[in-house]
Amino acid sequence: MVWDALYSSAFESVRGRIGGVGKVLLAYNTNIDAIKYLDGNDLERRVEAVGKDEVLHYADELPRRIENVGQLLGSILWSIKHGKAAELFVESCSTRFYMKGWGWEELRMGGQVGIMANLLGGVYSVPVIAHVPQLSRLQASLFKDGPIYVPKAGDGKLRLVHPRDFAGDEENCIHYIYEFPRGFGVFDFEAPRENRFIGSADDYNPNVVMRPEFHEHFEEIAEKAELGIISGLQTLTGKNYREPFEELVRHLEILNAREVPVHLEFAFTQDETVRRALVDVLGHFHSVGLNEVELASIMEVMGEKGLAGKLLADDPVDPIAVTEAMLRLAERTGVKRIHFHTYGYYLALTDYKGDFVRDALLFAALAAAAKAKLGDVRSIDDVVKAMDVPVNEKAKTVEKRLTGEYGMKNGIAEIDGYQLSFTPTRIVARPKSTVGIGDTISSSAFVGEFALH
Ligand code: ADP
């Protein structure tokens, strides 16, 4: 099959050249994920201890933030009852203390920066400089070995050290993840599907609080970087976004002056003011990565409601609507590369040309399938273990439409002076893990592209 051959050669090329990539700056969100698998009896006992009257009404309507234990338990019940994910900020110290006492089964690296640092630095051995808002011992222990660095200031100098050598004793930013399976029963609720409720005991990441080293020494940090990936802006609101955005734009101007290409990982941003502000600064970025829901949410604030609707109407997502939306976004903002990923295929629109754009998408698709298949990818050699995962059948109709509409050949077409690159993905039927898979796709493709170019 032509795609199998393209996959193999793309993987070999990236593996051969990824060692040549210089330091990648990753900012801003890193936290600790503490995973608790809920137990129905335990949860009922806890609700009764607080008093059902204090708790149950939150199962119908989520509070805006969590100010007491009753609201925490009620919000967990809301997620179970609706089978929906939700994430709320936990404001009260006593509730944070309660969650700590309740405990967890598993600790994981959290935040897009943390996840990408462990993938790029810990798996691909690409050196990274990470922004970690708070470096506690627990946070530091979740970083893999490898060329992963944080800036440390002292004696008027800035050094790069592994997070464990930073010897930080700062706060723990913990996101408590309460997971339940489909059919999970508590009182007379039954979960219609598996999902999770997240209570964030974290004053730093939701507000994009930046470290002093990044305020005071950003020029020096930027001098060491060859590429940048920005993420973590999705939690900002119309109330608190101005200050971090000012600092973000300052960082981007410094990076742009040094011609460091920067990618924005666009996670779903609830607040429309912030979403608009992100579209307004997109021209400072070289590249942006997003899925269909995120692209539709951008079309909404750009006044393209019809296109937004089309992006969410079909399965697989209509590739012509995606291409049109990417063209509008590129023309409106001047961003040079847009990487779209959905279940079954990826597309990239670039204002430059070459097979390496498609080959980087193929590498990313293999990395995503390896992650889904193995759960943990330990080295770049693990990535090739996904070659036996079948190429998505449904992507054939997508490819046919792109061939008919744009004359696409071997995944590459030219439209209005842009190049459109397409890749059918490999889908793992029973994935071991899909946590952070979007981050795996976007960072592998972005860094892979620069390895090849
Ligand atoms: P998240 O925020 O959970 O990372 P995203 O929507 O950003 O979610 O990324 C999910 C992407 O992961 C999908 O677009 C799809 O391409 C890929 N994906 C999901 N499930 C699988 C799977 N079982 N096998 C391979 N790829 C998958």
Side-chain angles (χ1 to χ4, degrees):
M1 289 303 293
V2 59
W3 283 111
D4 276 338
L6 290 171
Y7 259 103
S8 285
S9 85
F11 172 74
E12 291 305 334
S13 312
V14 174
R15 176 166 58 181
R17 300 178 71 164
I18 204 159
V21 178
K23 292 193 182 71
V24 184
L25 176 66
L26 304 172
Y28 298 97
N29 56 331
T30 310
N31 64 265
I32 299 162
D33 282 344
I35 296 106
K36 173 97 199 154
Y37 302 103
L38 289 168
D39 171 281
N41 295 329
D42 174 44
L43 187 55
E44 282 185 10
R45 268 196 308 275
R46 286 172 182 274
V47 171
E48 270 151 8
V50 175
K52 273 180 152 181
D53 291 350
E54 301 279 317
V55 175
L56 286 187
H57 55 277
Y58 295 114
D60 293 320
E61 201 181 333
L62 275 181
R64 285 180 56 78
R65 47 178 52 209
I66 290 174
E67 283 156 351
N68 55 53
V69 174
Q71 289 181 336
L72 169 71
L73 298 172
S75 302
I76 293 173
L77 292 180
W78 180 91
S79 274
I80 294 168
K81 182 176 172 186
H82 297 88
K84 284 195 186 164
E87 177 163 2
L88 289 178
F89 175 65
V90 182
E91 192 168 64
S92 100
C93 285
S94 55
T95 309
R96 290 184 183 188
F97 192 69
Y98 178 92
M99 298 195 304
K100 196 171 167 196
W102 195 356
W104 51 76
E105 267 82 51
E106 207 182 312
L107 288 175
R108 267 194 231 135
M109 176 62 86
Q112 289 149 305
V113 166
I115 290 169
M116 292 193 277
N118 274 347
L119 176 73
L120 297 178
V123 180
Y124 300 161
S125 299
V126 170
V128 299
I129 307 172
H131 179 269
V132 187
Q134 288 287 294
L135 246 170
S136 66
R137 246 168 250 175
L138 195 56
Q139 180 72 76
S141 74
L142 297 173
F143 282 95
K144 294 193 181 207
D145 292 332
I148 300 173
Y149 305 105
V150 291
K152 185 174 170 98
D155 303 332
K157 276 200 308 251
L158 194 82
R159 287 184 302 132
L160 291 181
V161 298
H162 189 277
R164 282 197 297 277
D165 299 326
F166 183 87
D169 200 8
E170 299 173 348
E171 280 184 48
N172 283 322
C173 297
I174 305 186
H175 295 192
Y176 291 88
I177 303 182
Y178 297 99
E179 292 205 350
F180 50 87
R182 186 171 155 193
F184 180 87
V186 58
F187 299 118
D188 49 4
F189 305 137
E190 191 182 303
R193 50 165 294 189
E194 72 281 4
N195 225 319
R196 61 221 328 241
F197 173 79
I198 305 177
S200 301
D202 177 355
D203 298 305
Y204 294 84
N205 288 293
N207 299 306
V208 191
V209 175
M210 297 196 194
R211 295 194 63 86
E213 295 87 347
F214 278 69
H215 273 302
E216 289 153 24
H217 304 278
F218 193 77
E219 282 84 354
E220 220 181 315
I221 294 172
E223 259 172 42
K224 302 178 196 290
E226 189 173 285
L227 294 173
I229 302 180
I230 301 283
S231 59
L233 304 165
Q234 64 272 11
T235 47
L236 291 170
T237 67
K239 283 205 182 93
N240 67 0
Y241 81 101
R242 280 177 207 280
E243 213 181 298
F245 258 69
E246 258 173 43
E247 187 70 359
L248 164 73
V249 169
R250 190 179 77 86
H251 289 173
L252 289 170
E253 282 169 350
I254 293 169
L255 291 163
N256 286 339
R258 302 190 53 81
E259 294 181 12
V260 175
V262 187
H263 172 88
L264 173 69
E265 189 50 18
F266 192 101
F268 183 72
T269 307
Q270 192 86 41
D271 191 291
E272 281 195 22
T273 309
V274 179
R275 220 184 299 151
R276 261 193 210 101
L278 280 170
V279 173
D280 289 341
V281 299
L282 206 53
H284 289 290
F285 287 92
H286 171 88
S287 163
V288 60
L290 30 69
N291 66 18
E292 67 275 19
V293 178
E294 291 149 11
L295 185 57
S297 77
I298 291 181
M299 289 301 114
E300 288 269 342
V301 297
M302 278 174 53
E304 303 276 359
K305 296 234 156 51
L307 212 40
K310 274 195 204 165
L311 289 171
L312 300 177
D314 300 317
D315 177 31
V317 183
D318 174 4
I320 311 303
V322 174
T323 306
E324 276 174 28
M326 292 196 297
L327 283 167
R328 305 264 159 94
L329 188 59
E331 268 149 25
R332 156 86 185 263
T333 62
V335 70
K336 295 180 183 61
R337 174 182 181 272
I338 302 174
H339 175 186
F340 170 84
H341 63 84
T342 186
Y343 197 81
Y345 72 92
Y346 310 155
L347 283 173
L349 188 81
T350 48
D351 78 354
Y352 46 88
K353 299 183 174 62
D355 291 356
F356 62 94
V357 180
R358 177 205 60 205
D359 289 348
L361 297 185
L362 289 165
F363 171 70
L366 205 57
K371 164 126 188 115
K373 181 181 166 182
L374 305 170
D376 191 30
V377 177
R378 285 155 311 161
S379 77
I380 197 161
D381 295 318
D382 275 353
V383 170
V384 80
K385 292 184 183 157
M387 278 300 286
D388 64 357
V389 177
V391 173
N392 178 293
E393 276 295 313
K394 285 189 187 164
K396 283 204 179 120
T397 57
V398 175
E399 190 177 359
K400 262 201 201 117
R401 288 208 59 205
L402 291 166
T403 306
E405 192 78 20
Y406 306 123
M408 192 182 71
K409 252 172 104 178
N410 288 335
I412 293 182
E414 234 184 275
I415 309 163
D416 301 349
Y418 292 92
Q419 172 171 298
L420 184 70
S421 308
F422 161 82
T423 299
T425 63
R426 298 174 181 272
I427 294 285
V428 177
R430 274 176 295 280
K432 269 215 179 121
S433 163
T434 58
V435 183
I437 200 164
D439 303 334
T440 299
I441 296 167
S442 296
S443 59
S444 299
F446 181 63
V447 171
E449 188 179 308
F450 283 89
L452 293 177
H453 196 38

